[in-house]
Amino acid sequence: MIRASTVSEMVNQFPGAIPVFEKFNIDFCCQGKLPFAEACRHAGVSEEEVIAALYQPAPAFNATLRAQDWSLDLLTNYIVQNHHQYTKRVLIELLNLADKVCHKHGAHHPELTEIRDQVQALNKELQAHMYNEEHVLFPAIQALVKESARLLPSPDSIAKSMSNLDPLILTLETEHELAGHFMNRIRSLSTNFSTPPDACTSYSTLYQLLKEFEADLHLHIHLENNLLFPKTLSLQARQQEKPLYVN
Ligand SMILES: [Fe+2]
Ligand SMILES: [Fe+2]
């Protein structure tokens, strides 16, 4: 049963799987459509070990989120207020810290230069990505929700019925993968965010913050890829099936 499910299905039905997947480096956000067995192979862990961890008492973390039951309005608001605000704030801290640590320790730890470059690239990518979500996709979702609540189509529903959110959502999913690649590279360069013995407080803070940021990004992308986007596409499909004129 578990082996046949995709990792996103597992996380949607059982949010307590999130910390377990994080622990084993199983990608449930960008690669959420992979079957469990394949996701374990990608992460280099045995299915049995992960299943055993899944059957441990569920941690309190995320147990009350139940985002799979949320409306599209709540999902978009939560993503903006919780994840986008956090991402914007922490990216500024990360840029400053990465720059500072690179200047101070870069000579002895050359990987810091690339980490700083990756943080800068990630920042550029995520800022543009979130702008697109907040100014294009999320308003379109709100309009779709509003239109779907109408008994009769609004005068401009013909024009709206021509707009299709599929290509935009596909682009955003591709950008999530790109952000995931940046984070994977940073994780690998920093040897899983482990600091060397000569690390100062800023160095340790940078790695700790990067680790927290990665975990938040996974949840953020999971909510969009595995809940928001599929729910939006399914509402769009139901809307497109509605007759435009009522005789
Ligand atoms: Fe987002
Ligand atoms: Fe996104």
Side-chain angles (χ1 to χ4, degrees), residues 209-221:
L209 206 55
L210 280 167
K211 197 177 173 180
E212 286 170 21
F213 185 82
E214 185 196 50
D216 187 86
L217 191 63
H218 287 164
L219 277 175
H220 178 177
I221 294 178

Side-chain angles (χ1 to χ4, degrees), residues 187-227:
R187 178 179 267 278
S188 149
L189 287 164
S190 63
T191 328
N192 296 322
F193 310 113
S194 45
T195 44
D198 62 333
C200 63
T201 310
S202 299
Y203 204 143
S204 309
T205 309
L206 172 67
Y207 277 18
Q208 181 58 33
L209 206 55
L210 280 167
K211 197 177 173 180
E212 286 170 21
F213 185 82
E214 185 196 50
D216 187 86
L217 191 63
H218 287 164
L219 277 175
H220 178 177
I221 294 178
H222 157 65
L223 289 177
E224 292 175 354
N225 274 13
N226 301 332
L227 293 172

